[in-house]
Amino acid sequence: MCGIVGIVGKSPVNQSLYDALLVLQHRGQDAAGIVTCQGDKLYLRKDNGLARDVFQTRHMIQLRGNTGVGHVRYPTAGAASSAEAQPFYVNSPYGIVLAHNGNLTNAEDLKRDLFVDDLRHLNTESDSEILLNIFAHELQIQGKLRIDEQDVFRAVAGVHRRCRGGYAAVAMIPGFGVFGFRDPNGIRPLVYGRRETPAGAEYMIASESVALDTLGFKLIADVAPGEAVLITVDGELHTRQCAPQPVLSPCIFEFVYFARPDSIIDNISVHKARSRMGKKLAAKIKRDWSSHDIDVVIPVPDTSRTAALQLANQLGINYAEGFIKNRYIGRTFIMPGQTVRKKSVRQKLNAIDLEFRKKNVLLVDDSIVRGTTSQQIIQMARDAGAHRVYFASAAPPVRYPNVYGIDMPAASELIAHGRTEEEVARELGTDGLIFQDLGDLIEAVQKKGKSHVDRFDTSVFDGVYVTGDVTPDYLASLEARRNDGAKDSRLSCSESAIDLSNTD
């Protein structure tokens, strides 16, 4: 999962790009990068770490130019070294910079095609570099000395013909412009907006609308599935549908967990969607557990607060903040390595004993993925003096791996995979467990009667992959490459490489 942004401005864009990355930091905490363009020259700064740590004053001064692209990364493919940080650059043709959010499900086939047929060399294991080179090849085969927007759109159409999976990308061609495109299913989000300045209109393309809002850009629209949006360096906006049969199928987990609550994705308010999730969950409790003995509803901060508050209101039960969060610890579910996740939960949360003591507590979280955090939070509630500890998930059980860019691909690491809800409850150590029903979740997000979204990617809950190309063999190979053991091995290799490179 990553955050991407591109800006065409009338003045230097380095500060705006940096500010946008800070707003999108929740989408990736592993690495950050910015490339700007002044004339035909590019300026790059990228490294592992949070945006605030990667970019110092001396770096910002060097990021010159009125156009640029930025990226924050959490890796779901490739290694964890700084060489994998984005944006990526390829020199031929014209020079192209690209930042990508998502995952290509046919990356291995594309890698072979690039090497054998397209005669292109890859420097990393990242499928983002594959996406960049596919686009570059599709642009190069047109054989133009000078390109226009139609050439870019034809190249994006070629990307859609060849690439499978979920992908949203922002790219830049020096001296020409910035453009963004979204896969034909619109799995990963992408929006664009406009800001008026005394010197003229400026444009931004970004993963979430909150990046536009905080920098004073007015949302124009979501990039439609299969669509490409291009802004030239002169400030001309061009759009075109580049896929023959696009079907909007956004990832429903964006609304459950990833997106900021103040974002709007495909004309759906994330905040309102989470509020409706709480109402649906309360209705299920009334229907299936009318004789409950819950004294207080306590959210697991931060993503579940909206759903938990609505649930408490609907049930007429007290709502309380029972956990204090250390905001300097990253999201545990997207931290690499089970040992790191277990250690960080206690560092991240601390219970307020008075809210738990001698009470029957219903803890509400947005979802249960690996279960590591949930197990420890339930034990923390008991240690704080709770009489009974119940647990509710605003999402259904996560039983299947994600293949479109979220870091939970290894089925063996999902606590609900191959287990009944009763078995999951025993694993977690809770006195009672309530999951949202999938139909209720879809209705909560869909905003029935007002939304233009007819279907979602709900593969993590039901195992149905909207791209139609995910096989058992693919899932098995994905698990082998991306389980915690494989990640620990890659991390060790990266650290060894760093040590060697620093040896005199």
Side-chain angles (χ1 to χ4, degrees):
M1 183 58 63
C2 302
I4 58 177
V5 59
I7 298 177
V8 175
K10 297 298 182 180
S11 59
V13 295
N14 53 353
Q15 186 65 52
S16 291
L17 288 167
Y18 172 77
D19 292 342
L21 292 185
L22 291 182
V23 174
L24 296 172
Q25 187 75 81
H26 61 285
R27 301 189 67 85
Q29 303 159 17
D30 180 75
I34 290 175
V35 175
T36 59
C37 180
Q38 185 176 57
D40 293 330
K41 190 169 183 180
L42 296 173
Y43 300 88
L44 165 68
R45 169 61 182 171
K46 62 179 181 178
D47 203 354
N48 284 352
L50 299 173
R52 69 187 184 202
D53 300 321
V54 170
F55 302 104
Q56 304 298 320
T57 301
R58 66 184 185 277
H59 306 125
M60 297 296 289
I61 291 172
Q62 295 299 319
L63 292 172
R64 305 184 182 97
N66 296 354
T67 59
V69 171
H71 186 270
V72 287
R73 177 194 73 173
Y74 184 81
T76 57
S81 74
S82 58
E84 305 274 325
Q86 297 185 42
F88 285 128
Y89 170 77
V90 67
N91 185 58
S92 176
Y94 317 114
I96 306 169
V97 175
L98 180 138
H100 164 229
N101 172 33
N103 186 61
L104 304 181
T105 53
N106 64 335
E108 292 304 310
D109 292 337
L110 292 171
K111 192 182 297 185
R112 286 191 295 270
D113 292 345
L114 283 169
F115 181 74
V116 176
D117 299 328
D118 300 349
L119 303 179
R120 284 185 168 268
H121 174 73
L122 299 175
N123 296 305
T124 72
E125 294 298 315
S126 173
D127 62 348
S128 301
E129 191 186 13
I130 295 173
L131 184 67
L132 169 59
N133 276 274
I134 292 291
F135 174 83
H137 177 77
E138 293 297 319
L139 193 59
Q140 188 169 30
I141 59 176
Q142 298 180 49
K144 302 282 287 289
L145 291 176
R146 296 183 63 84
I147 59 171
D148 59 23
E149 64 276 5
Q150 303 307 321
D151 301 317
V152 172
F153 293 149
R154 280 191 289 270
V156 172
V159 169
H160 292 332
R161 284 193 302 270
R162 298 178 66 178
C163 296
R164 300 289 179 267
Y167 53 90
V170 175
M172 176 174 64
I173 299 175
F176 179 71
V178 170
F179 56 97
F181 56 92
R182 198 175 177 193
D183 74 80
N185 289 291
I187 297 171
R188 301 265 71 87
L190 195 65
V191 299
Y192 63 105
R194 174 182 173 125
R195 177 173 69 183
E196 298 295 339
T197 74
E202 300 181 323
Y203 291 89
M204 177 192 288
I205 306 171
S207 291
E208 294 185 34
S209 64
V210 66
L212 305 178
D213 299 340
T214 56
L215 274 78
F217 286 80
K218 184 178 180 181
L219 175 67
I220 296 175
D222 294 87
V223 177
E227 185 180 33
V229 174
L230 184 149
I231 305 102
T232 67
V233 290
D234 298 325
E236 296 180 359
L237 174 65
H238 304 270
T239 66
R240 173 174 288 187
Q241 178 53 251
C242 300
Q245 293 180 311
V247 180
L248 181 58
S249 312
C251 173
I252 205 166
F253 213 73
E254 291 277 356
F255 299 92
V256 170
Y257 177 78
F258 268 106
R260 269 183 47 154
D262 43 349
S263 283
I264 297 174
I265 298 175
D266 293 312
N267 201 36
I268 299 171
S269 164
V270 176
H271 171 74
K272 289 293 187 181
R274 290 174 183 168
S275 178
R276 291 189 291 267
M277 290 177 207
K279 291 180 180 179
K280 292 286 187 181
L281 198 54
K284 181 174 181 179
I285 292 174
K286 287 180 180 179
R287 182 177 66 247
D288 298 345
W289 191 21
S290 58
S291 60
H292 69 79
D293 56 354
I294 303 167
D295 296 318
V296 62
V297 173
I298 294 178
V300 178
D302 286 316
T303 322
S304 63
R305 281 197 171 103
T306 305
L309 181 58
Q310 277 297 336
L311 184 151
N313 289 339
Q314 294 293 312
L315 294 179
I317 297 173
N318 288 335
Y319 170 92
E321 292 286 344
F323 295 104
I324 299 300
K325 183 176 181 180
N326 180 348
R327 300 186 182 278
Y328 301 97
I329 300 292
R331 287 181 164 188
T332 54
F333 143 60
I334 60 173
M335 281 184 174
Q338 191 78 343
T339 303
V340 176
R341 279 189 294 272
K342 287 181 177 179
K343 181 180 179 182
S344 66
V345 174
R346 287 280 181 173
Q347 295 173 337
K348 184 168 83 166
L349 295 176
N350 191 45
I352 302 174
D353 291 5
L354 291 175
E355 299 295 349
F356 293 90
R357 195 171 297 152
K358 298 181 180 180
K359 296 177 182 177
N360 296 329
V361 178
L362 176 64
L363 303 178
V364 180
D365 208 349
D366 51 75
S367 58
I368 303 172
V369 182
R370 292 175 172 92
T372 307
T373 302
S374 303
Q375 288 169 336
Q376 294 192 56
I377 287 174
I378 290 166
Q379 187 58 50
M380 287 170 66
R382 295 196 190 282
D383 293 343
H387 179 58
R388 291 183 180 274
V389 182
Y390 306 113
F391 205 93
S393 167
V398 177
R399 301 189 187 279
Y400 303 93
N402 182 276
V403 301
Y404 301 128
I406 298 177
D407 183 46
M408 48 178 182
S412 61
E413 296 167 6
L414 305 175
I415 193 169
H417 181 73
R419 291 189 176 100
T420 65
E421 293 185 16
E422 292 75 15
E423 289 170 336
V424 173
R426 286 197 293 272
E427 286 289 321
L428 294 178
T430 179
D431 295 304
L433 179 62
I434 306 100
F435 281 107
Q436 186 89 264
D437 292 334
L438 181 56
D440 286 344
L441 174 63
I442 292 172
E443 286 187 13
V445 178
Q446 198 168 33
K447 193 172 63 172
K448 201 167 185 180
K450 298 181 181 179
S451 172
H452 61 284
V453 181
D454 294 324
R455 74 170 186 175
F456 294 90
D457 169 57
T458 57
S459 55
V460 297
F461 305 122
D462 59 12
V464 178
Y465 297 94
V466 295
T467 54
D469 62 338
V470 179
T471 65
D473 287 344
Y474 176 82
L475 294 177
S477 66
L478 201 66
E479 173 152 359
R481 294 198 306 271
R482 297 190 187 176
N483 60 39
D484 281 340
K487 288 178 183 176
D488 290 343
S489 176
R490 286 199 298 270
L491 183 61
S492 297
C493 291
S494 297
E495 290 173 346
S496 298
I498 292 170
D499 289 341
L500 288 171
S501 66
N502 288 333
T503 303
D504 293 331

